[in-house]
Amino acid sequence: MRFLWCATAAVAWLATGCARITPERLEAQVQETMRWQREYQLERERSEAVAVRLAALEATIERLVGERAEVEQGRVALLEELVRTEADRHALEEHNTQLLARERELNELREMHEQLSDVFYESALERARRRLPSARQPDASVAGDGTAVP
């Protein structure tokens, strides 16, 4: 019974409390609720706009990270190519040095060949002169007459 009496008292007190709310106060509460609802909507729209911008920035960051990774791979590839090119350059320089040395040897051999050719030619002329003494003697007899030029 006591519970029933307490429940009746609580309902009566709530009913009188609700009955005491004036329409102006109720209108003010409705206006305040509407204002808070508008602020909530504005804040929600701002949050959504920030979320959209954040998503766009994250996509941009991912794109830039991908580009940076590509650039790094390109840099590594270029460094490897530089190392290969340097090795090729050193090999070409060594080959060029060898070619220059062989060219010098070839020039020395040409000079030696020319000298030997001259010596061989002179030697051949000398042998020919010694073998053909009879051919020179008629020239000498003509030279003795003063008509031939030695």
Side-chain angles (χ1 to χ4, degrees):
M1 203 36 125
R2 216 173 188 190
F3 176 72
L4 188 59
W5 184 79
C6 283
T8 307
V11 169
W13 182 73
L14 282 174
T16 56
C18 288
R20 280 191 278 155
I21 298 177
T22 61
E24 294 83 24
R25 187 171 173 179
L26 184 62
E27 183 66 30
Q29 285 180 351
V30 168
Q31 292 296 326
E32 184 70 16
T33 303
M34 295 297 277
R35 184 181 67 80
W36 278 105
Q37 191 174 18
R38 281 191 303 270
E39 286 182 22
Y40 169 76
Q41 287 297 327
L42 288 174
E43 211 43 53
R44 184 175 174 192
E45 289 173 4
R46 275 190 238 137
S47 296
E48 288 176 358
V50 167
V52 167
R53 283 187 290 185
L54 183 61
L57 288 174
E58 287 175 348
T60 303
I61 287 171
E62 288 177 11
R63 182 180 53 82
L64 290 174
V65 166
E67 288 177 5
R68 179 175 278 173
E70 288 178 12
V71 166
E72 185 62 26
Q73 288 176 349
R75 190 179 74 77
V76 167
L78 284 175
L79 287 175
E80 291 172 355
E81 184 65 26
L82 179 64
V83 168
R84 278 194 301 270
T85 304
E86 282 292 317
D88 290 345
R89 185 179 66 84
H90 288 300
L92 287 173
E93 286 177 352
E94 289 177 15
H95 185 67
N96 189 36
T97 303
Q98 291 173 357
L99 287 176
L100 290 174
R102 286 192 175 180
E103 185 179 17
R104 283 191 294 269
E105 289 175 9
L106 183 62
N107 287 336
E108 289 173 5
L109 288 173
R110 280 186 187 145
E111 288 177 16
M112 213 183 296
H113 179 266
E114 288 176 9
Q115 290 172 355
L116 287 174
S117 293
D118 289 345
V119 167
F120 179 76
Y121 181 72
E122 291 293 326
S123 174
L125 281 178
E126 199 55 42
R127 278 193 308 262
R129 285 184 193 145
R130 279 185 276 167
R131 287 186 185 164
L132 299 175
S134 60
R136 292 192 98 204
Q137 286 177 356
D139 287 337
S141 65
V142 174
D145 295 340
T147 57
V149 178

PDB file of all heavy atoms in Angstrom, residues 96-109:
ATOM      1  N   ASN A  96      91.722   1.885 -74.472  1.00  0.00           N
ATOM      2  CA  ASN A  96      92.312   2.990 -75.225  1.00  0.00           C
ATOM      3  C   ASN A  96      93.811   3.082 -74.952  1.00  0.00           C
ATOM      4  O   ASN A  96      94.606   3.293 -75.882  1.00  0.00           O
ATOM      5  CB  ASN A  96      91.613   4.298 -74.854  1.00  0.00           C
ATOM      6  CG  ASN A  96      92.029   5.431 -75.754  1.00  0.00           C
ATOM      7  OD1 ASN A  96      92.262   5.245 -76.944  1.00  0.00           O
ATOM      8  ND2 ASN A  96      92.130   6.624 -75.191  1.00  0.00           N
ATOM      9  N   THR A  97      94.219   2.900 -73.707  1.00  0.00           N
ATOM     10  CA  THR A  97      95.640   2.923 -73.368  1.00  0.00           C
ATOM     11  C   THR A  97      96.375   1.805 -74.096  1.00  0.00           C
ATOM     12  O   THR A  97      97.467   2.016 -74.645  1.00  0.00           O
ATOM     13  CB  THR A  97      95.818   2.767 -71.843  1.00  0.00           C
ATOM     14  OG1 THR A  97      95.078   3.807 -71.186  1.00  0.00           O
ATOM     15  CG2 THR A  97      97.258   2.850 -71.440  1.00  0.00           C
ATOM     16  N   GLN A  98      95.761   0.624 -74.118  1.00  0.00           N
ATOM     17  CA  GLN A  98      96.377  -0.495 -74.838  1.00  0.00           C
ATOM     18  C   GLN A  98      96.471  -0.195 -76.327  1.00  0.00           C
ATOM     19  O   GLN A  98      97.487  -0.495 -76.970  1.00  0.00           O
ATOM     20  CB  GLN A  98      95.576  -1.776 -74.614  1.00  0.00           C
ATOM     21  CG  GLN A  98      95.647  -2.307 -73.195  1.00  0.00           C
ATOM     22  CD  GLN A  98      94.704  -3.468 -72.972  1.00  0.00           C
ATOM     23  OE1 GLN A  98      93.950  -3.848 -73.866  1.00  0.00           O
ATOM     24  NE2 GLN A  98      94.751  -4.036 -71.770  1.00  0.00           N
ATOM     25  N   LEU A  99      95.402   0.393 -76.885  1.00  0.00           N
ATOM     26  CA  LEU A  99      95.433   0.731 -78.311  1.00  0.00           C
ATOM     27  C   LEU A  99      96.512   1.764 -78.620  1.00  0.00           C
ATOM     28  O   LEU A  99      97.196   1.674 -79.645  1.00  0.00           O
ATOM     29  CB  LEU A  99      94.065   1.243 -78.765  1.00  0.00           C
ATOM     30  CG  LEU A  99      92.961   0.196 -78.895  1.00  0.00           C
ATOM     31  CD1 LEU A  99      91.640   0.874 -79.264  1.00  0.00           C
ATOM     32  CD2 LEU A  99      93.324  -0.836 -79.940  1.00  0.00           C
ATOM     33  N   LEU A 100      96.663   2.758 -77.750  1.00  0.00           N
ATOM     34  CA  LEU A 100      97.710   3.762 -77.957  1.00  0.00           C
ATOM     35  C   LEU A 100      99.090   3.124 -77.896  1.00  0.00           C
ATOM     36  O   LEU A 100      99.981   3.461 -78.696  1.00  0.00           O
ATOM     37  CB  LEU A 100      97.578   4.887 -76.928  1.00  0.00           C
ATOM     38  CG  LEU A 100      96.371   5.804 -77.104  1.00  0.00           C
ATOM     39  CD1 LEU A 100      96.279   6.791 -75.939  1.00  0.00           C
ATOM     40  CD2 LEU A 100      96.467   6.563 -78.423  1.00  0.00           C
ATOM     41  N   ALA A 101      99.283   2.202 -76.954  1.00  0.00           N
ATOM     42  CA  ALA A 101     100.578   1.518 -76.856  1.00  0.00           C
ATOM     43  C   ALA A 101     100.837   0.703 -78.127  1.00  0.00           C
ATOM     44  O   ALA A 101     101.942   0.715 -78.668  1.00  0.00           O
ATOM     45  CB  ALA A 101     100.602   0.619 -75.621  1.00  0.00           C
ATOM     46  N   ARG A 102      99.825   0.019 -78.602  1.00  0.00           N
ATOM     47  CA  ARG A 102      99.996  -0.775 -79.838  1.00  0.00           C
ATOM     48  C   ARG A 102     100.226   0.129 -81.035  1.00  0.00           C
ATOM     49  O   ARG A 102     100.966  -0.221 -81.955  1.00  0.00           O
ATOM     50  CB  ARG A 102      98.775  -1.657 -80.065  1.00  0.00           C
ATOM     51  CG  ARG A 102      98.738  -2.811 -79.115  1.00  0.00           C
ATOM     52  CD  ARG A 102      97.730  -3.817 -79.494  1.00  0.00           C
ATOM     53  NE  ARG A 102      97.834  -4.959 -78.613  1.00  0.00           N
ATOM     54  CZ  ARG A 102      97.082  -6.012 -78.705  1.00  0.00           C
ATOM     55  NH1 ARG A 102      96.166  -6.079 -79.657  1.00  0.00           N
ATOM     56  NH2 ARG A 102      97.221  -7.005 -77.869  1.00  0.00           N
ATOM     57  N   GLU A 103      99.563   1.295 -81.033  1.00  0.00           N
ATOM     58  CA  GLU A 103      99.781   2.237 -82.132  1.00  0.00           C
ATOM     59  C   GLU A 103     101.229   2.726 -82.130  1.00  0.00           C
ATOM     60  O   GLU A 103     101.860   2.837 -83.179  1.00  0.00           O
ATOM     61  CB  GLU A 103      98.807   3.413 -82.007  1.00  0.00           C
ATOM     62  CG  GLU A 103      98.891   4.381 -83.167  1.00  0.00           C
ATOM     63  CD  GLU A 103      97.904   5.536 -83.038  1.00  0.00           C
ATOM     64  OE1 GLU A 103      97.399   5.775 -81.937  1.00  0.00           O
ATOM     65  OE2 GLU A 103      97.672   6.186 -84.064  1.00  0.00           O
ATOM     66  N   ARG A 104     101.761   3.006 -80.936  1.00  0.00           N
ATOM     67  CA  ARG A 104     103.170   3.409 -80.855  1.00  0.00           C
ATOM     68  C   ARG A 104     104.079   2.284 -81.349  1.00  0.00           C
ATOM     69  O   ARG A 104     105.030   2.529 -82.098  1.00  0.00           O
ATOM     70  CB  ARG A 104     103.524   3.791 -79.412  1.00  0.00           C
ATOM     71  CG  ARG A 104     103.033   5.159 -78.999  1.00  0.00           C
ATOM     72  CD  ARG A 104     103.642   5.580 -77.670  1.00  0.00           C
ATOM     73  NE  ARG A 104     103.207   4.736 -76.558  1.00  0.00           N
ATOM     74  CZ  ARG A 104     102.150   4.952 -75.789  1.00  0.00           C
ATOM     75  NH1 ARG A 104     101.389   6.009 -76.016  1.00  0.00           N
ATOM     76  NH2 ARG A 104     101.857   4.148 -74.798  1.00  0.00           N
ATOM     77  N   GLU A 105     103.759   1.053 -80.919  1.00  0.00           N
ATOM     78  CA  GLU A 105     104.556  -0.087 -81.386  1.00  0.00           C
ATOM     79  C   GLU A 105     104.468  -0.212 -82.904  1.00  0.00           C
ATOM     80  O   GLU A 105     105.478  -0.478 -83.575  1.00  0.00           O
ATOM     81  CB  GLU A 105     104.052  -1.385 -80.736  1.00  0.00           C
ATOM     82  CG  GLU A 105     104.353  -1.505 -79.275  1.00  0.00           C
ATOM     83  CD  GLU A 105     103.727  -2.756 -78.659  1.00  0.00           C
ATOM     84  OE1 GLU A 105     103.213  -3.611 -79.416  1.00  0.00           O
ATOM     85  OE2 GLU A 105     103.754  -2.871 -77.429  1.00  0.00           O
ATOM     86  N   LEU A 106     103.265  -0.031 -83.443  1.00  0.00           N
ATOM     87  CA  LEU A 106     103.079  -0.122 -84.888  1.00  0.00           C
ATOM     88  C   LEU A 106     103.875   0.964 -85.608  1.00  0.00           C
ATOM     89  O   LEU A 106     104.514   0.691 -86.641  1.00  0.00           O
ATOM     90  CB  LEU A 106     101.591  -0.018 -85.236  1.00  0.00           C
ATOM     91  CG  LEU A 106     101.218  -0.159 -86.703  1.00  0.00           C
ATOM     92  CD1 LEU A 106     101.611  -1.535 -87.220  1.00  0.00           C
ATOM     93  CD2 LEU A 106      99.725   0.071 -86.891  1.00  0.00           C
ATOM     94  N   ASN A 107     103.852   2.184 -85.068  1.00  0.00           N
ATOM     95  CA  ASN A 107     104.640   3.264 -85.681  1.00  0.00           C
ATOM     96  C   ASN A 107     106.131   2.946 -85.633  1.00  0.00           C
ATOM     97  O   ASN A 107     106.859   3.197 -86.610  1.00  0.00           O
ATOM     98  CB  ASN A 107     104.342   4.592 -84.993  1.00  0.00           C
ATOM     99  CG  ASN A 107     102.973   5.128 -85.357  1.00  0.00           C
ATOM    100  OD1 ASN A 107     102.423   4.790 -86.405  1.00  0.00           O
ATOM    101  ND2 ASN A 107     102.411   5.952 -84.492  1.00  0.00           N
ATOM    102  N   GLU A 108     106.588   2.387 -84.499  1.00  0.00           N
ATOM    103  CA  GLU A 108     108.001   2.007 -84.402  1.00  0.00           C
ATOM    104  C   GLU A 108     108.324   0.915 -85.419  1.00  0.00           C
ATOM    105  O   GLU A 108     109.385   0.953 -86.060  1.00  0.00           O
ATOM    106  CB  GLU A 108     108.308   1.517 -82.983  1.00  0.00           C
ATOM    107  CG  GLU A 108     108.301   2.616 -81.942  1.00  0.00           C
ATOM    108  CD  GLU A 108     108.452   2.069 -80.529  1.00  0.00           C
ATOM    109  OE1 GLU A 108     108.652   0.832 -80.366  1.00  0.00           O
ATOM    110  OE2 GLU A 108     108.377   2.871 -79.592  1.00  0.00           O
ATOM    111  N   LEU A 109     107.396  -0.043 -85.553  1.00  0.00           N
ATOM    112  CA  LEU A 109     107.618  -1.108 -86.526  1.00  0.00           C
ATOM    113  C   LEU A 109     107.634  -0.561 -87.953  1.00  0.00           C
ATOM    114  O   LEU A 109     108.419  -1.023 -88.797  1.00  0.00           O
ATOM    115  CB  LEU A 109     106.559  -2.206 -86.386  1.00  0.00           C
ATOM    116  CG  LEU A 109     106.678  -3.087 -85.139  1.00  0.00           C
ATOM    117  CD1 LEU A 109     105.470  -4.019 -85.044  1.00  0.00           C
ATOM    118  CD2 LEU A 109     107.976  -3.892 -85.200  1.00  0.00           C
TER     119      LEU A 109
END
